[in-house]
Amino acid sequence: MEIVLTILFFKYGLIFGSFFNVVGLRIPKGESIVRPPSHCTVCNRKLTARDLMPVLSYLFLQGKCGSCGTKIHWMYPVMELVTGLLFAFAFTQLGFNLELILAILFISLLVIITVSDIAYMLIPDKILLFFLVPLIVARIFSPLTPWWDSIVGAVIGFGILFLIAVLSKGGMGGGDIKLFFVIGVVLGTMHTLLTLFLASLIGAVVGVISLRIAKKGRKTPIPFGPSIAIAAIITYFFGDTLVDWYVNMFF
């Protein structure tokens, strides 16, 4: 039965991942997520069911529009697959409980802001505010220990990023700062700090790799949101294990 439910969560994750692509690409532009229906942005052909199967359509169409042959961005199938895997993994780790609802909400937020930040270097306030309220409610019914750690985590997460932005004179985006407030609500103080450390580490590695593969003399801005999202997911599921390992290793 658990295998069947895990597959079901994976399936729904794929479907929601496809929808999250739409949300992440349209909301920053102030567009409706309902109208117009999904279409090719080059030839404007309305997409059919054959074009909208998560991951499979990309494979069947060989990564191209079935009408005009325009290449489909790799982000679409990747984010669909990632969402499916994360939904299924969350279920296997948490089972059916209130924390699973919070995990699904948290994963959904992180997937959407990743899409948005990759596409536009922007994490919209609308998306953060939309998820903040249900995440707070979910954390109230599935509290951290102690319960006030969510409040402290949110304040510290926001405060540190805000301080970095001030000292670096705009080196940190406003969306990243607000995102860490939400992360603080979900993860609490210690895990929010761990997320910041891991995000910085991941961002540094990505930056070095990007510099090596970029054309000589060409500098391309790198969104920090995806690094934060990856770090937050790692911390959410493995934070306690990482902290215990660190303490046992060095103390």
Side-chain angles (χ1 to χ4, degrees), residues 68-131:
C68 66
T70 299
K71 288 186 177 180
I72 301 172
H73 199 286
W74 58 265
M75 182 170 62
Y76 288 95
V78 168
M79 299 315 295
E80 291 166 353
L81 183 59
V82 166
T83 308
L85 291 172
L86 288 175
F87 274 29
F89 183 71
F91 170 70
T92 61
Q93 295 299 301
L94 302 171
F96 276 117
N97 53 40
L98 290 173
E99 188 66 25
L100 178 62
I101 297 175
L102 185 143
I104 294 298
L105 286 170
F106 194 44
I107 291 168
S108 301
L109 166 63
L110 295 174
V111 169
I112 293 172
I113 66 97
T114 295
V115 171
S116 174
D117 211 25
I118 289 175
Y120 308 114
M121 295 284 291
L122 178 68
I123 299 177
D125 291 344
K126 285 184 179 180
I127 294 174
L128 294 174
L129 290 173
F130 178 85
F131 279 94

Side-chain angles (χ1 to χ4, degrees), residues 73-238:
H73 199 286
W74 58 265
M75 182 170 62
Y76 288 95
V78 168
M79 299 315 295
E80 291 166 353
L81 183 59
V82 166
T83 308
L85 291 172
L86 288 175
F87 274 29
F89 183 71
F91 170 70
T92 61
Q93 295 299 301
L94 302 171
F96 276 117
N97 53 40
L98 290 173
E99 188 66 25
L100 178 62
I101 297 175
L102 185 143
I104 294 298
L105 286 170
F106 194 44
I107 291 168
S108 301
L109 166 63
L110 295 174
V111 169
I112 293 172
I113 66 97
T114 295
V115 171
S116 174
D117 211 25
I118 289 175
Y120 308 114
M121 295 284 291
L122 178 68
I123 299 177
D125 291 344
K126 285 184 179 180
I127 294 174
L128 294 174
L129 290 173
F130 178 85
F131 279 94
L132 178 60
V133 174
L135 282 171
I136 290 175
V137 173
R139 189 43 91 204
I140 290 174
F141 285 98
S142 181
L144 297 174
T145 303
W147 66 266
W148 44 261
D149 195 31
S150 288
I151 300 174
V152 177
V155 172
I156 289 180
F158 180 89
I160 291 177
L161 270 290
F162 181 77
L163 183 60
I164 292 174
V166 171
L167 294 177
S168 63
K169 297 181 179 179
M172 184 66 63
D176 297 332
I177 299 171
K178 297 164 190 171
L179 175 59
F180 259 93
F181 180 89
V182 181
I183 289 173
V185 170
V186 175
L187 300 182
T189 309
M190 181 64 72
H191 284 180
T192 296
L193 294 174
L194 177 59
T195 299
L196 178 57
F197 170 77
L198 292 177
S200 301
L201 181 62
I202 294 169
V205 172
V206 172
V208 170
I209 295 174
S210 298
L211 286 174
R212 287 188 174 276
I213 65 177
K215 294 181 178 180
K216 187 177 181 180
R218 182 179 178 182
K219 294 182 179 180
T220 304
I222 301 172
F224 191 40
S227 297
I228 297 174
I230 294 171
I233 290 294
I234 292 173
T235 302
Y236 181 81
F237 288 109
F238 306 109

